[in-house]
Amino acid sequence: MATFNILVLPGDGIGPEVCAEGVRALEAVGKRFEHVFNFTHDIVGGASIDAHGTALREETLAQAKASDAVLFGAVGGPKWDNPTATVRPEQGLLALRSGLQLWANLRPVKAEPALLHASSLKPEVIEGVDIVVIRELTSGIYFGKPQERRVVNGKREAIDTNYYNEDEIARVAHLGFQLARGRRKKLTSLDKANVLASSRLWREVVTEVAPQYPDVQLEHVLVDAMTMHLIRRPKDFDVVIADNMFGDIITDECSMLTGSMGMLASASIGTMKADGTGLGMYEPIHGSAPDIAGKGIANPLAMLLSTAMLLRHSCGLETEAQAIEQAVGEVIEAGHRTGDIATAGEKTLGTREMADLVLARIGG
Ligand code: IPM
Ligand code: MG
């Protein structure tokens, strides 16, 4: 029997509602497969700003470091949207990524056969789409210095810096090649090498890593062209790697391919131990959705799929991860829908009802 310590950071908006279902799913897995999950709960983002004046407290970060995994809901909302505020909910997320050195963000994008109609693209374009985007998460323009506003000769100006060093690029490249190796053996690296020095280094380093993976086909694609390819021929892509900002933008586009953002999970991981597991942070990609917060109608499936990623990457429990993924797939195939993935006239379920159907299939 294995024991795992999980820090639960529900955050804002629908974060707490979906996090509660994630915790229940892990408890169900614990019961069925005889593992113990110890949960510690804390606040982050807007909730933490309201209570403590900061989006992430030092003690919360310390608790995260001492845990096996962090289950994260979402942060932000109109209440904290003032662009001139010096304290913002998103700072909590960035401080966790950086403080835990979670340098890779994995976002799987898979078209569920039963949900093909939910996309704005033609079913035949997205049928069979199966992409994993790996976004670099702790460097680049999000963290490069200088990052500041200043007044020069009486005029306001601002600067962000897209800094990368070769080690930061190489580790993302290795992860991309390794992941591609276990899949369809194709790696697409995004950059803007025709303009940016940081992108030219990115392309150079990825190319240098490639000979170690002769079985994987590598292609470099300019990020602006990629935005077109993704909506025209998304099936052509397998594993995609990108820097922090390009990855941020492209993953939003990818999430729309399936039309069901409420289904998409993510894992943020760092340098893993020899056994392949390590600390990670797991969150649905749908965000805090303040418009539906507190109504009990949010789709819990992205969170449940995020717990599957937690089991896989932080606990090394592949069978258990697949049990959740299979249960979610069955529930969708059986025609159960929350409002976000329902078509007109279909019966819609609430957050708890939907999660109950998945939990019943996990057993425990
Ligand atoms: C994401 C989000 C965050 C980011 C925001 C909330 C800071 O867009 O996780 O993709 O830009 O990384
Ligand atoms: Mg984003």
Side-chain angles (χ1 to χ4, degrees):
M1 186 187 309
T3 300
F4 302 97
N5 297 318
I6 315 288
L7 174 63
V8 184
L9 297 175
D12 310 315
I14 59 170
E17 294 158 59
V18 294
C19 255
E21 305 309 330
V23 168
R24 289 175 69 225
L26 289 174
E27 277 167 346
V29 165
K31 243 175 126 186
R32 153 118 185 254
F33 296 92
E34 299 189 348
H35 306 298
V36 177
F37 295 98
N38 295 322
F39 297 102
T40 309
H41 295 260
D42 205 344
I43 54 178
V44 69
S48 178
I49 291 175
D50 288 352
H52 307 296
T54 171
L56 179 76
R57 287 182 304 157
E58 278 301 325
E59 48 262 61
T60 312
L61 180 60
Q63 179 65 39
K65 283 182 183 162
S67 304
D68 294 301
V70 178
L71 194 63
F72 191 94
V75 288
K79 185 176 175 191
W80 307 280
D81 257 356
N82 178 0
T84 61
T86 51
V87 198
R88 287 172 288 110
E90 291 76 12
Q91 290 165 342
L93 187 55
L94 298 183
L96 278 163
R97 289 172 179 171
S98 168
L100 302 176
Q101 295 188 48
L102 304 176
W103 50 263
N105 182 226
L106 273 52
R107 295 190 180 184
V109 180
K110 210 169 171 171
E112 284 283 342
L115 292 177
L116 292 183
H117 61 272
S119 174
S120 53
L121 300 183
K122 297 189 188 101
E124 61 266 31
V125 174
I126 57 162
E127 191 180 11
V129 162
D130 184 0
I131 303 172
V132 178
V133 181
I134 305 176
R135 167 190 176 190
E136 197 290 325
L137 205 58
T138 50
S139 186
I141 205 162
Y142 275 59
F143 295 97
K145 298 279 179 292
Q147 181 178 65
E148 64 192 28
R149 261 175 83 122
R150 57 199 178 200
V151 177
V152 176
N153 298 331
K155 294 225 181 270
R156 286 167 298 168
E157 53 179 49
I159 180 165
D160 295 291
T161 304
N162 198 20
Y163 169 91
Y164 271 105
N165 68 45
E166 58 181 305
D167 296 342
E168 291 166 341
I169 300 167
R171 63 191 179 186
V172 172
H174 280 289
L175 187 59
F177 280 113
Q178 282 157 13
L179 200 64
R181 210 168 227 182
R183 293 170 44 97
R184 302 198 308 280
K185 299 188 171 37
K186 182 172 172 189
L187 180 68
T188 304
S189 175
L190 307 185
D191 61 46
K192 187 71 187 171
N194 52 347
V195 179
L196 303 177
S198 53
S199 275
R200 283 192 287 276
L201 180 64
W202 180 279
R203 190 175 282 217
E204 193 175 307
V205 173
V206 173
T207 305
E208 284 164 8
V209 169
Q212 295 179 48
Y213 305 89
D215 50 329
V216 177
Q217 178 203 340
L218 167 68
E219 65 173 0
H220 300 281
V221 177
L222 294 172
V223 66
D224 49 348
M226 184 66 173
T227 61
M228 299 191 297
H229 302 326
L230 273 174
I231 52 173
R232 217 182 153 88
R233 46 179 185 89
K235 271 181 262 193
D236 284 359
F237 302 100
D238 179 11
V239 179
V240 177
I241 55 173
D243 79 5
N244 206 339
M245 189 172 69
F246 295 152
D248 178 45
I249 296 167
I250 222 79
T251 49
D252 266 23
E253 188 184 13
C254 284
S255 74
M256 281 294 104
L257 292 177
T258 65
S260 41
M261 202 155 173
M263 301 284 300
L264 299 178
S266 81
S268 300
I269 59 173
T271 303
M272 297 307 220
K273 295 175 286 192
D275 70 356
T277 69
L279 175 59
M281 181 159 75
Y282 302 86
E283 60 181 303
I285 75 154
H286 51 55
S288 62
D291 51 322
I292 59 162
K295 295 185 179 161
I297 58 170
N299 186 345
L301 298 183
M303 174 52 88
L304 299 185
L305 292 171
S306 299
T307 63
M309 294 188 88
L310 182 155
L311 293 166
R312 173 173 296 125
H313 296 288
S314 284
C315 308
L317 300 175
E318 180 60 33
T319 308
E320 290 79 345
Q322 284 179 19
I324 294 189
E325 287 164 351
Q326 192 184 328
V328 168
E330 284 173 17
V331 165
I332 289 297
E333 284 298 319
H336 303 295
R337 301 286 183 264
T338 42
D340 58 311
I341 50 174
T343 34
E346 261 179 340
K347 178 176 184 270
T348 61
L349 302 175
T351 309
R352 177 55 53 100
E353 287 171 291
M354 190 67 155
D356 279 344
L357 291 169
V358 178
L359 263 54
R361 285 166 173 79
I362 297 172

